Amino acid sequence: MTTIKRAAIIGGGVIGAGWIARLIENGVVVSVFDPAPDAKEKIDAVLVNSRYAYKKLSNLTGPKEGRVIFCESVAEACHLAELIVESVPERLATKQVVYAEIENYADINAIIASSTSGILPSDLQAFMSNPERFLVAHPFNPVYLLPLVEIVGGSKTSSTVIQKAEAIYQSIGMHPLIVKKEIEAFIADRLLESLWREALWLVKDGIATTQDIDDAVRFGFGLRYAQMGIFDTYRVAGGEAGMRHFIEQFGPCLKWPWSKLTDVPELDDELVDKIASQSDEQSGHMSIREMERIRDDNLIEILQGLKRNNWGAGQTLANYESRFLNAANDPG
Ligand SMILES: NC(=O)c1ccc[n+]([C@@H]2O[C@H](COP(=O)([O-])OP(=O)(O)OC[C@H]3O[C@@H](n4cnc5c(N)ncnc54)[C@H](O)[C@@H]3O)[C@@H](O)[C@H]2O)c1
């Protein structure tokens, strides 16, 4: 098991803070650089949520929580870091400037990982002096609870670095998914974007409100997707005749078609107002903090249910916890 002792987080917003939470939970000392004056306050708020979540998720004693060190510069943050996580806003030029600065100070063996949701790693690493140690490690919010991290190498990324990163992410309880070829938005966000695009059309065309669409997900197929993905779900739906029968039955619908696919509705003021006001009506009575707590409580129960069945993300959690049990039982 490849473990690390020191990491740096450059950009401590929603995702950077989630990475900090997951890393310190695993005993890693994390140095953070974020120039925003309220960065510490926001990170502290996420750590309140994550500590609460971890306490509920498992009653096993893991490693002693790592320290968080707030730094004044990229140079200070990168000092001694074995893994440097970039989580700055989703702009290619901004990220490239950050890598140039990181490379001035990082140890030559440090892995540099971008949290980008969709920019190609080959573009991100284009001007780096040592691009072989760069990769994308795309996590999902909340990073401290969801195990998936998509690992994507660029044309200059070394395969050894990918293997090393895979072991590091496993050591902090994650499920690294190696994306075989780089493509914009990788796997999960391509799927999510197609769903979101269709949802925007349904609101624009007055077929459903934001509430209706969310209900269509959470009372039905959303429940299925936490435990089986698209293909296994449809295999089961095909009955004994399985996948071939399912494709025979529903394949033709793809050509009718039932969805608007790549056609994007114009996000003009009218549509944005419509969506925002429906969303206010749906959930405006709760604060974001309250919604985060509800989300985390639900995710914990789902993960624990899946753990009892030793299935999917629950199996990842069980494997992770078994390391603590083995460590606790090790007389040495
Ligand atoms: N929000 C999500 O659900 C999500 C999920 C997965 C990946 N991502 C990706 O993670 C990255 C960060 O997204 P986010 O949602 O955390 O954004 P965010 O706006 O919440 O946080 C970005 C942070 O970066 C800081 N920052 C800006 N310039 C900086 C610089 N030069 N050096 C250091 N810090 C700097 C900002 O002060 C801010 O705190 C993006 O690439 C995004 O695509 C986001």
Side-chain angles (χ1 to χ4, degrees):
M1 181 67 56
T2 305
T3 54
I4 53 166
K5 292 193 169 59
R6 299 278 304 226
I9 301 290
I10 310 299
V14 173
I15 292 303
W19 278 121
I20 296 169
R22 188 174 272 279
L23 287 160
I24 62 170
E25 176 64 18
N26 285 279
V28 180
V29 174
V30 178
S31 301
V32 188
F33 172 69
D34 189 315
D38 59 349
K40 181 176 184 310
E41 193 187 322
K42 285 188 174 165
I43 290 168
D44 285 344
V46 172
L47 295 183
V48 169
N49 277 355
S50 65
R51 286 183 183 120
Y52 164 89
Y54 283 127
K55 222 173 180 172
K56 264 188 103 170
L57 182 65
S58 177
N59 50 16
L60 295 175
T61 310
K64 184 170 170 279
E65 188 181 287
R67 264 183 316 137
V68 183
I69 305 167
F70 289 92
C71 302
E72 294 298 321
S73 63
V74 169
E76 195 190 335
C78 291
H79 181 60
L80 298 176
E82 297 150 85
L83 173 69
I84 300 169
V85 177
E86 168 273 304
S87 300
V88 306
E90 190 74 339
R91 284 191 294 276
L92 176 62
T94 308
K95 287 180 186 286
Q96 285 173 336
V97 169
V98 167
Y99 305 145
E101 201 175 355
I102 289 174
E103 283 204 296
N104 281 337
Y105 305 106
D107 183 276
I108 189 66
N109 294 313
I111 293 179
I112 303 173
S114 172
S115 303
T116 179
S117 299
I119 304 176
L120 291 177
S122 289
D123 291 342
L124 291 167
Q125 73 188 165
F127 304 112
M128 290 179 72
S129 331
N130 290 97
E132 67 285 347
R133 38 92 167 255
F134 174 88
L135 46 77
V136 166
H138 175 226
F140 294 81
N141 192 31
V143 183
Y144 53 83
L145 279 179
L146 295 188
L148 182 64
V149 54
E150 292 177 317
I151 307 284
V152 199
S155 57
K156 296 177 185 160
T157 306
S158 111
S159 55
T160 317
V161 165
I162 296 211
Q163 282 164 13
K164 199 171 156 195
E166 186 179 15
I168 291 172
Y169 292 112
Q170 274 166 350
S171 79
I172 56 171
M174 300 188 88
H175 180 88
L177 181 64
I178 312 288
V179 178
K180 293 180 179 59
K181 283 185 192 172
E182 67 176 325
I183 183 170
E184 291 87 351
F186 324 128
I187 300 172
D189 278 359
R190 293 183 82 87
L191 297 174
L192 287 175
E193 190 182 277
S194 56
L195 203 60
W196 188 43
R197 190 188 292 122
E198 195 58 34
L200 293 173
W201 276 116
L202 291 170
V203 175
K204 180 179 166 63
D205 294 347
I207 291 156
T209 62
T210 57
Q211 174 85 62
D212 296 334
I213 289 166
D214 286 359
D215 286 352
V217 175
R218 69 197 180 114
F219 289 99
F221 69 84
L223 284 172
R224 285 197 309 228
Y225 280 169
Q227 51 84 51
M228 279 185 195
I230 295 171
F231 287 101
D232 261 358
T233 295
Y234 286 171
R235 181 185 178 85
V236 175
E240 284 308 319
M243 186 57 87
R244 285 179 192 284
H245 175 62
F246 187 86
I247 295 174
E248 249 168 52
Q249 199 175 4
F250 293 106
C253 312
L254 296 173
K255 292 197 173 161
W256 288 350
W258 279 356
S259 63
K260 300 210 177 184
L261 298 173
T262 54
D263 219 3
V264 183
E266 191 60 46
L267 283 168
D268 53 20
D269 290 349
E270 194 188 346
L271 181 55
V272 172
D273 286 347
K274 188 173 182 182
I275 294 169
S277 60
Q278 288 186 2
S279 173
D280 286 346
E281 198 175 319
Q282 179 183 347
S283 302
H285 58 286
M286 293 178 281
S287 70
I288 297 298
R289 287 277 168 254
E290 280 174 291
M291 290 181 77
E292 283 172 348
R293 186 54 66 85
I294 293 165
R295 174 200 66 191
D296 289 0
D297 282 340
N298 289 332
L299 286 173
I300 289 164
E301 297 290 334
I302 292 166
L303 285 167
Q304 286 173 337
L306 291 171
K307 188 177 82 176
R308 281 191 288 280
N309 285 347
N310 200 27
W311 185 256
Q315 200 170 37
T316 306
L317 177 60
N319 291 342
Y320 172 67
E321 286 185 337
S322 70
R323 292 212 313 273
F324 302 139
L325 278 177
N326 293 341
N329 293 334
D330 182 353

